[in-house]
Amino acid sequence: MKLNAIIVDDEPLARKRIERLLESIVEIRVIGLYGTGEEAIAQINKLQPHILFLDIKLKDVDGFYVLKHITVKMPLTIFVTAFDTYAIEAFDFYAFDYLLKPITEERFYKSIFRIIETLKSNPYKYFDDKVVNLLEHLKTGEEQEIGSTNSRIPVAYANKTVFIDKDDIQYILASNYYIEIYTAKQRYIQRNSMYGILKELDSRLFFRIHRSSIINLNYVAELQNSAYGEIDVKMQDGKQLRISKGYRKQFALKVGLRK
């Protein structure tokens, strides 16, 4: 029996590389390549693949969001990531496999052969349990972050560590391997990922509107609509930030917009 696989990565070259590497594996058939999480969720729920190659950082949502919105039998998931050390540690703990970019052929085929053997001997049960455990872990983390008593974030600044109040954060921008945290008085730089900082913030106030930007809803001055259907958020300090297509529907629900 052929094992159907779906590849989800926002980089076209990365998708194609995985597809090419799978061409020599007669047991696996690629049935879909997708660049966004929302599109992937719809197709995974429709096509019900056996195997899922899932990038952690997508243009619209992250890989964990995709997993949480799969309503059919969970495919055996292989995570793909460029860095995110914290994520790799989580995958190891939950016995998931992952591919670190740039993917090497040796590492890739080692993972594939283990997948085939696993599915032949004990299809899904082991990995089903691990997915459930991971999703429960993520759910618990979300609940904890809302009620967190830690109201400040430590950041390095001018040869010292300062503590900034989370409520003072107006917005956060991604900057390579760092993030830029903006308050009314100062910009701070922290070595962190957007997903990592979101886990430390109150999800009732902070919302990701783009792959590279998170806003505090309390500091939104207005929304601006362009003639091309684009929507920008104008912050109280005058900064304009684009809401990417993948986040618009969630943002509208978050702020109570009605069509």
Side-chain angles (χ1 to χ4, degrees):
M1 182 186 75
K2 286 278 189 179
L3 300 173
N4 294 327
I6 279 179
I7 302 168
V8 183
D9 197 304
D10 60 4
E11 299 175 12
L13 291 178
R15 295 196 298 271
K16 283 296 183 182
R17 175 161 173 74
I18 294 176
E19 184 182 31
R20 283 197 298 269
L21 289 172
L22 288 172
E23 287 177 353
S24 62
I25 308 298
V26 296
E27 294 91 343
I28 298 177
R29 173 176 53 207
V30 176
I31 59 172
L33 296 89
Y34 307 104
T36 67
E38 293 292 353
E39 183 182 23
I41 291 168
Q43 294 304 313
I44 291 167
N45 288 333
K46 176 183 178 181
L47 301 176
Q48 302 186 43
H50 302 96
I51 304 169
L52 171 63
F53 293 88
L54 179 60
D55 189 7
I56 291 302
K57 291 184 173 295
L58 300 167
K59 290 181 179 179
D60 53 349
V61 298
D62 61 38
F64 296 119
Y65 178 93
V66 173
L67 285 182
K68 288 188 286 186
H69 289 78
I70 293 176
T71 58
V72 295
K73 189 171 187 62
M74 187 66 66
L76 191 158
T77 304
I78 303 173
F79 292 98
V80 183
T81 180
F83 41 93
D84 280 345
T85 301
Y86 71 91
I88 292 175
E89 292 174 350
F91 304 155
D92 282 342
F93 181 78
Y94 288 100
F96 278 83
D97 203 358
Y98 66 89
L99 297 174
L100 185 62
K101 295 180 180 179
I103 300 170
T104 65
E105 291 189 15
E106 180 181 2
R107 178 68 181 86
F108 181 84
Y109 288 122
K110 179 180 179 181
S111 177
I112 294 303
F113 294 142
R114 186 164 67 238
I115 289 169
I116 294 172
E117 289 303 313
T118 299
L119 292 180
K120 284 181 179 179
S121 60
N122 185 20
Y124 300 114
K125 184 181 186 307
Y126 179 75
F127 289 94
D128 277 349
D129 292 343
K130 293 303 178 182
V131 170
V132 170
N133 289 340
L134 176 57
L135 296 182
E136 286 298 321
H137 172 75
L138 294 172
K139 181 179 179 181
T140 300
E142 291 170 355
E143 292 171 350
Q144 289 176 344
E145 76 180 20
I146 290 178
S148 174
T149 57
N150 184 6
S151 62
R152 300 194 298 171
I153 295 176
V155 294
Y157 179 73
N159 298 319
K160 58 186 177 182
T161 298
V162 298
F163 293 84
I164 58 176
D165 289 330
K166 294 178 181 178
D167 289 343
D168 291 338
I169 298 174
Q170 297 186 351
Y171 50 90
I172 300 169
L173 305 179
S175 180
N176 294 321
Y177 297 103
Y178 295 84
I179 58 173
E180 299 176 359
I181 301 174
Y182 289 81
T183 68
K185 298 180 180 180
Q186 187 67 49
R187 181 191 70 155
Y188 301 92
I189 297 177
Q190 184 185 64
R191 187 173 179 82
N192 202 343
S193 66
M194 298 295 273
Y195 180 76
I197 191 64
L198 265 178
K199 293 196 298 182
E200 302 179 43
L201 301 172
D202 189 335
S203 60
R204 293 169 297 187
L205 297 179
F206 291 88
F207 188 82
R208 192 170 185 174
I209 60 170
H210 191 277
R211 183 179 185 183
S212 61
S213 53
I214 297 169
I215 62 171
N216 184 336
L217 297 173
N218 285 338
Y219 290 94
V220 174
E222 62 185 31
L223 301 180
Q224 299 180 341
N225 300 297
S226 74
Y228 302 99
E230 302 290 351
I231 303 176
D232 290 343
V233 171
K234 184 176 182 180
M235 305 303 290
Q236 290 181 4
D237 67 354
K239 180 72 173 181
Q240 289 190 200
L241 300 168
R242 174 66 44 85
I243 303 177
S244 67
K245 184 177 180 180
Y247 287 97
R248 288 178 198 165
K249 182 177 180 179
Q250 299 172 59
F251 181 79
L253 292 172
K254 186 76 173 179
V255 299
L257 290 178
R258 298 289 184 271
K259 292 184 178 182

